[in-house]
Structure formats: C-alpha cells, structure tokens
Amino acid sequence: MLLVSLSISATAQQISLAGTVSDEQGVPVPLANVLIKQRKNEKLLYFKATDNNGAFVLNLPSETILTYFYLEVTHVSYRTIKIELEKGKNFYEIRLSRQRVHLDEVSVGIKPRINASGDTIRYDVNSFATQLDRSVGDALKRMPGFEVEQNGRILYQGQAISHLYIDGDDLLEGKYGIGTRAIPHAIVQGVEVYKNHQDIKVLQDRVVSRDITINLVIADKAKMRLNGEAKLGGGWPEQYVSELNAIVFNDKIKMLDALKGNNAGIDIREDLQDLTGQAATNLERHSQPLLSSGTAGAPNLPKARHYLNNSVGLFAHHLVTLDADWQVRANIDLFADRNKLIYDNQNMIFGEMDSISFTEQLYRVNKPFLTEGSLRVHKNTKKTYLNNLLKFNYSRDYSAAELSGDEQLIDQRLKQQQWFFDNHFQYFPMLKGKDVLKFSGRVATNKAPEQLVLASPQKPIVDVPSMSLSWLRQRVTTRTTHAELNIEYLLKPTWFSHRYNLQAFSEWQSLHSSLNPIEGEQVLDEITTGNALQWRRSYALLGSTYEIKRSNFTLSATLPLRLQQISYDDAQFALNRGQVDWLFDPSLEISKKIGQQHEVAGHYGYSNTFGNMQNIYQGAIMTNYRTLLANDTVLQRNRGHHAGFAVKLANAPDMLFVNLGYDYAHVASNVMMSYQVTEQLTSVVALPLTNRQTQHNAVAGISKFLFFLGVKSGITAKWSLTNDNQLVNDALLPYRNRMFSLSPDLNAKLLGRINVAYIGNWSWLHNEPRQRGLPFSQRLVTFSQSVQLYYSPSAMLDIGLKGQQLYTKQREQANYNYFFMDANARYKIPTWRIVLEFDLFNIANIKTFEYIALTTNSRHNNRYQIRGRMALVKAAFTF
C-alpha cells in the first residue's frame, strides 16, 4: 500500500488504479491480465499483468472519465471477471474462481499474421500491406478469405458483410465504400472479423444472428491527429482529378469528410452506394422510376473505361460520443454530374417461330443531382438499446437524348425528381426479470414526378387513327406513405428461448399519369385514358420465434401469421377492388459448429408476396420511346419456397478458407407478362395466367495464402439453372437458362520488389427452349482477365503495367476480342509527404467497345463509345 501511495503522489497529473488479484482462498494470482476496456465497444485501452504478489497499478490520463470504462481480469486457469469502474474508487480487491483450461486461440508466428479466437478472426494489416497499397481496401484484397468487388462491396467467405465498424463505431452505415477507399491502411492496426455477430448488445445471447461484421482497429498514434490527403491532377485531353479528405478517429469524435471532382471516369457516386442493403428501407427499394430514354444499359466493362463524366461530390460523416452510452451521428452527401452515353445496338427478340429486330443509335446527356442526409441518436448497452434514425433525400435527373433507328429520328427530354423522408425509432429495454421488450415505429413518405417528351417529325411514334402522333408527352407522378409499429417480447434466455411479436403496417400509394399529343405549344387531350389509381395495403401480424442454443448448435424457427387487406380503385376504369388474406410465412434456420472455425448451416422459408400499384394500373404508360406498359385487373401474388445450405471451413494457422453453398427457389405467380412486339413498338400487359419459376444456385470458393511463395490465391465457381416462361406475341415459350462461371485470383509479393495481381473470369451461358421444335437456342462464352505487374526498384519508386483482356464468343455471330493496357509510375518524397503519380490510360487508344448481351428470349449486339487514350499527372499530399 505504501508503494501505491507513493505512485499516486508522484503522478499527480494521472489517475492511478491499483488493486490485488487472488483466488477463492485468498492466495495471490501472479501474471493475471488486468485490462481496461471501453464500455461502448469493448475496445482494449490499457493492459497490465499482476506481479508475484498479485498486485497491479495502472496509470490513466487525468481527463479519463472512469464510468466510461470497465475492468476485465483474465487468466488461463481462472474464469474471466468484469468489474464496472466507479467514480472516486481507485483500489479494487478481485477474487477469481478456477475453471477447466480450454485454449481456443491460435495464432500464426510468421508474417503475414492472423489470430483466431472463437467467432473472431484478427488480421494484422501491416503484415499484409505492401508499399503499393494506399487504402485499407487495397490491403483487404491481399488477405485470404476476403473478396472486394469492383464497387467496393466486401465479402468474407462468400458472404457480404453487414457492417463495417471503425473502432467499434458505425460511422458510415451501409455506405462504407468511401471508407475503404479513403482510409489509409497505415492508420489501421488490424482488421477484426466477427462471425455470427449481433450488434445490439441487449439482444446478444437472445437473438441468433448469421451476420458477418468487420471492425477496423485504428492505431493509437493515429488517434492523436488529423489524417487526410489532398490530391490534384491534370492531363490530356483536358482531364482533371481533385480530392480532399480529412479523417479524425478518436474515442470521442469520428469524422470522415471528402470533397471530390473529376472528368476522368472516376465514379464518385459509388461513395453513395449502400453496399449492405440494410441502410435502404423497403420504400426506397420500391421507389424505382418508371420512365427512361432508351432500352440499353451500361456496357459490360469497368466503368472507368466508358464513363464520360464531369462529376463533383461532397461527403460529410460525423459521429460524436457524448458519454459512455450515447452517440450522435450525422451524414450528409451532395452529388452533381454531367455525363454522356453514346451507343448503337441491334436488338432481336425471339417469338415462337420467328424473330423481331430493331436498331437504335443513341446520344444522351444526363445531368443528375442528389442530396441526402441522416441524423442518428443512439444508445447501445447491455440493458438498453435506443435508436432514432432520421433520413431525407432529394434527387433530380435531367436528360436530353437523340435517338435514331429504323428510318426514325426521335428527340427525347426526360425529367425525373424524387423527395424522400423516413424516421425510424427503436427502444429495447431489459426488464427486471431480464426479459426484453422491443418497441419500434417507422413513418416514411416519398413523391416522384416524371415527364418524358418525345418528338419525331419524320415518322409518327404511335399510330392512332386520324392522328399523326409525332409529339408526345408522358407524365407520371407516384406518391407513397407507409407507417409501421412493432412490439416484441423476449423471454429470459436459456438453452431454449422464445419471443413473440405483434406488428401493424399500413401503406398508401397513388399513381397519376397522362399521355398527351402536342401540337406546337398546345397540349391536346389524352390519346389513352390515364391513371388516377389509389392503393392501400395494411396488415396485422402475430408471430413467434423459438430458438435452441447449445455450445456448437443453434436452431431457430419463426412462425408469423398475417392478416392482410389490400384495396385499390381508379374511377376512370370503374375499378374498385379489395381482398383479405390470411398468410403464413414460416422459416427455419439451423447451424452447427465443427471445432472453433468450421460451420455448417441450412435454411428453409415459405413466403407470400404481392405486387403493388405499379403492377395493377390499367392505363397504358409509355415507359420509353418504344414500350407501352399496362396491366390487367388481377393483383399479382407470388408463393415461394426457398431452401439452401452453406458450409464454411476456416483454418487460420494455415490461412485456408473454404466456402460451399447451394440455394433453391420455386415461385408460383398468378400473373404473367405478355409481350406484343413489332419492329416499331413493344406493348407489355400483365395477364392473369399461372407462371412458375424454379431456380438453382450453387457456389464454391477457396482462398489460401501460400507461405513459401508469399501469394494470396483463390478461385470461385458458380452455377445456376433457371426455368421460366415467356409470353411473346400470344405464344407461350418455356425457357431454360444455364450459367457456369469460374473466377480465379492471385496476389503475389515476390522478392520484395515485384508485385503481381491477376483476376480472371470465364463464363458460359446457355438459353434454350424447353419445348421441342422451338428454335433460337443461344450460347454465349465470355472471358475476361486482368494482370497487373509492379516493380519497385526502391522504397520511393513504383513502376507498373496493367493489361486487361475481354473476349466474347457466340455461334453464328462475330467474336469480340479486346486488349487494354495501362501504365502507372509513382514517386514518393517522404520528407515532404508528397506522392507524384503518372497514369497512361488505354495506351492502344480503343475508342469503341462491342459486346453481346443475352436475356431469356432476346439478343442485343451493343456498341459503345468509350474513353480513348488519356494521360494524367497527379500530386498527393498526405497529412
């Protein structure tokens, strides 16, 4: 005690925590680990081992708020104990109880390093990254088990991650792509993978989760300063790139701000993309535009090669920890762009015994603008979860397009806008008996007006008796509001747990449309009856969930019973209908752990889904220059069976990860889309006909780090089989679609100076009629591969070449084979913290790209104008 007193007096500017650790008989326990961790995210901050007398002293900064932390004491021979720190208390007497020794932690003693413990796997970032890597996303690509897709989405053992945390905090929600691209790997100490992660603490050990979450552990030295990068570049022909980002990651404040602009094909909008699918609400996912200015999409080519843009984006992500329990997060995004799309294509749609073809040549200029934001107030403790998330966005898109084809020239003007608002409140308190009550409510609303104006002075767009319809205006406005309330009661968890929930949901929708001819400045009467549709859907749900949890086995069964009412009316069509349904959608999940890292899981579910107002409107809508879309009066209902299994094998010491999976789906619908196709127009009507579809999907992947070569290698195989039906020009066409793909990848660090990266994809597609005697069987083979080679003659200079091949082959069609080559050189000036970079893009100066796209009963030969040769010089300053 005298030594403790001397220590406190000698460090007046610190807080000293001291104590003793002993066993149940009072015998001192030496070499026990005494840890101080944050309450909010269980992050380790301080560590000390007890001496031979079982004593310890921990010196903390004077500004430390003790109630934000807790004390954890561990020893291999004793049970772990956790103690909440108390204000004003500086000495703790701790008693440990013995346990059977069970070591479940493995680690790799050579670089690169992985450490595994239970459901958590930790990667040492520095041991995988090379001097070529700038961001943490670059380093992730070198880690076995990880896949990073082109848009930034991260998969682990074939499963998309649910969250990306930064030191335990969810700063970016589902839009984590900006983080993996902007956060330097140098400030990230480790990457932690949490399998079967339940992020709501009060639900841990109560609600089974299959989610995979990643946590970036920030290095202590990076928490003490502002980190960021300023980049500016220019080049030929008239290219520019600019970026400024600022990063603060400490225990109180987390901030990631970025300002970006370029016309060099870099897609800034990727930073707005929800990569988990959890950030978007059902209303956002269903609020898709109805109108478009063409029939072809983007080419099957990396976007940087065809994106003719001039973009700017501003992104602000801020999170503040108010105390040990409360957080406030604000996210604001702005995006504006002017981009061009130039293509021509030949389209062929197959009927029963013949085919219909038409051509398009399109020059389109788009001017999208988007602003969105969210404000979140959040509390997540073991006794209470409270969350309120407010979201809003506004978007508009103006496009002007000139389209020609089949002796017709059409001028198009498309204007689309959307307003969206959503507020989601959740409150989950733990009750006195350790039961949990879940209460949540949500209100959301959306408005989306659209207008498409078509002008064709040479030839009528639509043939109507006694009228020459060379000028048309299509207007559509949709509105949606929904509200939901959910109450769930979770009983105290044991090996067998159960919970019960009651949910009420209401949705109101309206759709108004008109299709009018135009003469000069005058808008004439509608040529077809427009829509004035009102829709309402509401349901009450009573459900129960039962779960069995053993040490290595879980089983979960959900039994929801739903009473649903749908009504819709449109006076213009004397339409006034409604229906009431009792619905039962059970599901079952089962999983079994084998050892510490292997897992086998299976699932089954039965679902009832219904269409919405976009599947029931009666008045024809001209969705683009050649498509008229309408519906019959029958409400679409889909009944589906879904089943599958997944096997995940992980051997952390050998850095070997294997995943296998299979999914089956059978969906029966009471509606079938009927296509009436001519060379001038396609009319689509939803008819009350039974339609059945089956789908099989299988995937197998392996990822391995080869120590003797210093190589991360992997290969993924995918197979799918789909049976469906098409109704084209009154003929029922049953089709079978088969696909197989093989995707190898390799990332090697050789001789300390050479880096090689290879990504390949071989794909085989076969569409054929299931009915004998029908023609038009289609086979398509595509092959793409890219090789990137970097040589680093010194720590300051990197020189690289990248080659990319894309090959397409279809019988009775011309083969397409392209080879792109790029070059890059980087020179670092460490004393100035500057990196100079030179890029030479598309050295062969390929300016057009052709490929074949297949759907079930159609073929599209597309040719796009893409970016030619470019040269860029960039300077980046890091701070």
Side-chain angles (χ1 to χ4, degrees):
M1 290 298 295
L2 177 61
L3 288 175
V4 172
S5 299
L6 290 174
S7 174
I8 294 174
S9 62
T11 57
Q13 296 183 355
Q14 292 182 323
I15 298 175
S16 290
L17 292 180
T20 59
V21 179
S22 57
D23 63 13
E24 294 170 305
Q25 285 73 42
V27 178
V29 178
L31 300 178
N33 302 312
V34 182
L35 317 172
I36 291 183
K37 294 185 175 182
Q38 284 184 313
R39 287 174 55 191
K40 69 182 178 96
N41 57 18
E42 301 181 351
K43 182 177 180 256
L44 175 64
L45 296 180
Y46 302 99
F47 164 85
K48 195 69 177 284
T50 57
D51 60 20
N52 291 334
N53 298 317
F56 66 89
V57 178
L58 285 161
N59 294 317
L60 312 180
S62 59
E63 65 272 14
T64 302
I65 301 175
L66 294 179
T67 54
Y68 285 13
F69 305 93
Y70 68 90
L71 203 66
E72 181 175 300
V73 182
T74 67
H75 192 284
V76 69
S77 300
Y78 298 88
R79 297 185 186 279
T80 297
I81 188 171
K82 298 179 181 180
I83 301 171
E84 299 289 339
L85 295 180
E86 301 176 24
K87 184 178 181 180
K89 184 175 180 178
N90 295 86
F91 190 84
Y92 293 82
E93 293 182 350
I94 301 167
R95 294 290 181 94
L96 301 181
S97 57
R98 285 193 173 272
Q99 68 171 352
R100 292 179 58 189
V101 176
H102 175 69
L103 294 176
D104 62 352
E105 184 169 303
V106 296
S107 62
V108 182
I110 60 174
K111 291 187 176 183
R113 295 191 297 271
I114 296 180
N115 181 281
S117 177
D119 279 341
T120 301
I121 298 179
R122 300 176 181 89
Y123 291 76
D124 180 79
V125 173
N126 188 56
S127 66
F128 286 94
T130 72
Q131 73 177 56
L132 296 174
D133 299 327
R134 187 190 64 82
S135 69
V136 67
D138 297 332
L140 285 173
K141 296 176 183 179
R142 301 183 185 274
M143 299 178 185
F146 283 98
E147 297 174 59
V148 181
E149 296 181 340
Q150 188 173 322
N151 64 355
R153 192 172 76 126
I154 299 171
L155 291 84
Y156 189 78
Q157 286 196 271
Q159 180 179 338
I161 67 170
S162 63
H163 295 85
L164 185 140
Y165 291 146
I166 300 170
D167 262 354
D169 292 328
D170 190 7
L171 173 66
L172 304 171
E173 202 176 23
K175 303 174 184 178
Y176 61 77
I178 188 174
T180 57
R181 284 184 284 269
I183 299 173
H185 73 80
I187 73 171
V188 180
Q189 177 179 320
V191 174
E192 297 177 332
V193 179
Y194 305 142
K195 296 189 287 187
N196 304 315
H197 180 66
Q198 174 56 260
D199 63 315
I200 300 177
K201 294 180 181 180
V202 75
L203 301 182
Q204 290 173 353
D205 300 322
R206 298 172 185 270
V207 177
V208 174
S209 173
R210 306 250 63 86
D211 289 345
I212 293 179
T213 295
I214 289 179
N215 181 45
L216 305 182
V217 181
I218 304 302
D220 289 338
K221 63 180 182 180
K223 298 179 183 180
M224 309 302 293
R225 64 174 190 265
L226 175 70
N227 301 278
E229 181 182 68
K231 181 189 295 183
L232 186 63
W236 175 86
E238 299 180 351
Q239 304 295 305
Y240 79 95
V241 174
S242 61
E243 181 176 347
L244 174 65
N245 62 63
I247 296 171
V248 174
F249 294 151
N250 60 44
D251 297 330
K252 293 283 292 182
I253 297 174
K254 289 183 172 61
M255 177 189 83
L256 196 163
D257 293 345
L259 176 64
K260 302 181 179 183
N262 79 90
N263 65 351
I266 302 170
D267 186 10
I268 296 175
R269 198 161 189 164
E270 287 185 348
D271 291 342
L272 298 167
Q273 190 173 355
D274 174 20
L275 299 174
T276 66
Q278 297 184 0
T281 66
N282 286 331
L283 181 55
E284 287 178 283
R285 284 189 282 267
H286 294 161
S287 301
Q288 300 299 321
L290 285 168
L291 310 183
S292 66
S293 57
T295 62
N300 183 24
L301 190 68
K303 199 164 186 178
R305 298 202 181 277
H306 68 82
Y307 187 36
L308 307 173
N309 70 305
N310 192 351
S311 311
V312 63
L314 173 65
F315 311 94
H317 303 278
H318 292 232
L319 184 146
V320 178
T321 300
L322 302 177
D323 58 27
D325 300 330
W326 289 93
Q327 290 183 337
V328 176
R329 187 189 71 201
N331 306 83
I332 298 176
D333 302 313
L334 294 170
F335 171 80
D337 186 23
R338 184 185 187 277
N339 62 73
K340 294 187 298 184
L341 180 66
I342 305 170
Y343 73 80
D344 61 81
N345 61 11
Q346 295 179 336
N347 305 278
M348 184 168 289
I349 299 175
F350 303 115
E352 184 175 20
M353 299 303 295
D354 59 357
S355 62
I356 299 95
S357 63
F358 61 93
T359 62
E360 287 182 353
Q361 296 86 39
L362 180 76
Y363 179 95
R364 183 175 67 200
V365 177
N366 277 3
K367 296 180 180 179
F369 172 81
L370 172 67
T371 177
E372 59 186 22
S374 66
L375 179 65
R376 183 194 195 198
V377 179
H378 180 66
K379 179 181 181 180
N380 189 9
T381 69
K382 292 185 179 296
K383 292 186 177 181
T384 303
Y385 178 79
L386 189 146
N387 182 70
N388 191 83
L389 179 61
L390 172 68
K391 299 176 67 176
F392 63 90
N393 72 43
Y394 168 73
S395 65
R396 70 168 186 261
D397 194 348
Y398 300 146
S399 68
E402 293 181 358
L403 188 144
S404 60
D406 298 327
E407 301 179 354
Q408 189 174 27
L409 178 64
I410 301 177
D411 182 74
Q412 304 182 79
R413 296 291 184 269
L414 177 63
K415 178 181 178 181
Q416 297 169 310
Q417 297 184 83
Q418 186 173 105
W419 292 266
F420 172 79
F421 169 86
D422 172 59
N423 192 81
H424 188 199
F425 175 78
Q426 298 169 288
Y427 177 54
F428 307 161
M430 182 182 291
L431 306 180
K432 289 184 178 180
K434 294 193 175 181
D435 296 344
V436 171
L437 178 67
K438 289 178 61 180
F439 173 84
S440 63
R442 175 173 240 150
V443 176
T445 186
N446 176 81
K447 179 182 177 182
E450 302 177 69
Q451 176 177 285
L452 176 63
V453 177
L454 305 170
S456 177
Q458 296 176 327
K459 186 178 180 181
I461 301 169
V462 180
D463 289 326
V464 176
S466 73
M467 297 185 71
S468 178
L469 301 181
S470 298
W471 289 75
L472 290 175
R473 185 193 69 185
Q474 175 70 70
R475 282 185 171 177
V476 179
T477 300
T478 59
R479 290 180 174 89
T480 302
T481 299
H482 78 224
E484 61 182 279
L485 180 67
N486 188 71
I487 299 174
E488 188 170 2
Y489 193 83
L490 293 79
L491 297 175
K492 180 181 177 180
T494 60
W495 67 271
F496 175 73
S497 61
H498 42 115
R499 59 185 188 269
Y500 306 92
N501 72 296
L502 178 65
Q503 184 180 7
F505 175 90
S506 287
E507 178 182 67
W508 301 266
Q509 292 186 306
S510 67
L511 185 152
H512 291 81
S513 72
S514 61
L515 180 59
N516 301 85
I518 302 174
E519 283 189 4
E521 299 292 328
Q522 185 179 5
V523 178
L524 306 181
D525 293 336
E526 295 181 80
I527 59 174
T528 64
T529 303
N531 292 284
L533 178 67
Q534 302 293 323
W535 161 283
R536 180 172 180 178
R537 178 169 69 106
S538 60
Y539 65 78
L541 182 148
L542 179 64
S544 59
T545 300
Y546 305 92
E547 294 178 348
I548 296 174
K549 292 186 64 176
R550 292 297 192 182
S551 58
N552 294 316
F553 173 82
T554 62
L555 184 147
S556 176
T558 302
L559 307 173
L561 181 63
R562 181 164 40 122
L563 176 61
Q564 177 176 272
Q565 181 181 25
I566 294 177
S567 60
Y568 47 94
D569 64 85
D570 190 336
Q572 298 181 110
F573 293 92
L575 178 67
N576 189 353
R577 295 194 177 186
Q579 66 182 63
V580 177
D581 298 281
W582 285 95
L583 307 170
F584 183 56
D585 300 329
S587 64
L588 178 70
E589 291 187 359
I590 186 171
S591 67
K592 169 69 175 176
K593 278 189 176 181
I594 304 171
Q596 288 298 310
Q597 297 296 320
H598 308 322
E599 184 178 28
V600 179
H603 67 88
Y604 166 78
Y606 176 79
S607 63
N608 289 275
T609 60
F610 291 79
N612 57 20
M613 66 175 180
Q614 294 191 11
N615 307 113
I616 204 68
Y617 64 81
Q618 306 293 288
I621 294 178
M622 196 157 203
T623 59
N624 57 56
Y625 81 98
R626 63 164 291 114
T627 305
L628 275 172
L629 186 60
N631 301 281
D632 202 275
T633 58
V634 176
L635 177 65
Q636 183 177 2
R637 178 177 180 178
N638 301 320
R639 296 177 173 91
H641 296 270
H642 309 269
F645 71 87
V647 179
K648 296 181 181 180
L649 309 176
N651 188 327
D654 292 335
M655 295 197 190
L656 174 64
F657 301 87
V658 178
N659 62 279
L660 304 168
Y662 168 78
D663 286 287
Y664 167 80
H666 178 274
V667 178
S669 177
N670 63 336
V671 167
M672 184 180 297
M673 304 305 292
S674 171
Y675 297 85
Q676 295 292 327
V677 184
T678 68
E679 293 182 356
Q680 185 182 13
L681 192 68
T682 300
S683 297
V684 186
V685 180
L687 297 180
L689 298 173
T690 301
N691 189 14
R692 300 181 185 276
Q693 183 185 77
T694 59
Q695 189 168 16
H696 305 262
N697 292 287
V699 62
I702 182 170
S703 181
K704 177 74 172 77
F705 193 90
L706 305 175
F707 294 97
F708 64 97
L709 292 175
V711 173
K712 179 232 175 174
S713 60
I715 189 167
T716 300
K718 295 181 180 180
W719 171 84
S720 70
L721 172 65
T722 303
N723 294 317
D724 65 358
N725 302 287
Q726 299 285 322
L727 189 59
V728 180
N729 291 348
D730 300 321
L732 181 62
L733 307 177
Y735 271 89
R736 177 181 293 112
N737 306 322
R738 289 179 288 185
M739 187 277 294
F740 177 75
S741 69
L742 203 60
S743 303
D745 69 274
L746 181 145
N747 206 307
K749 183 167 54 176
L750 308 174
L751 306 175
R753 297 192 175 195
I754 299 174
N755 280 268
V756 179
Y758 174 84
I759 299 175
N761 178 267
W762 292 269
S763 178
W764 294 264
L765 180 65
H766 184 197
N767 295 345
E768 62 178 350
R770 285 182 286 139
Q771 180 178 325
R772 289 185 178 182
L774 292 179
F776 310 126
S777 174
Q778 301 185 93
R779 297 176 186 268
L780 182 68
V781 178
T782 61
F783 169 62
S784 67
Q785 61 178 346
S786 66
V787 180
Q788 185 170 287
L789 175 65
Y790 265 95
Y791 173 62
S792 303
S794 71
M796 294 182 292
L797 180 62
D798 305 310
I799 303 171
L801 284 174
K802 179 181 179 181
Q804 182 180 27
Q805 182 187 14
L806 298 107
Y807 175 78
T808 303
K809 178 181 179 180
Q810 188 189 25
R811 62 184 183 183
E812 300 178 1
Q813 296 289 316
N815 297 335
Y816 301 128
N817 191 15
Y818 293 89
F819 186 79
F820 296 92
M821 180 168 284
D822 310 317
N824 172 268
R826 284 186 280 184
Y827 184 74
K828 304 170 186 175
I829 309 175
T831 55
W832 294 354
R833 289 182 291 178
I834 288 178
V835 177
L836 302 176
E837 191 167 357
F838 174 74
D839 286 315
L840 189 57
F841 184 84
N842 192 359
I843 297 173
N845 199 28
I846 300 171
K847 294 184 177 181
T848 59
F849 176 76
E850 297 181 66
Y851 81 105
I852 299 172
L854 300 183
T855 63
T856 299
N857 67 317
S858 65
R859 182 179 70 233
H860 309 273
N861 294 66
N862 304 300
R863 181 171 62 187
Y864 292 83
Q865 180 177 314
I866 63 174
R867 289 182 167 273
R869 185 184 298 120
M870 294 193 321
L872 277 170
V873 178
K874 296 177 284 186
F877 171 72
T878 58
F879 54 90

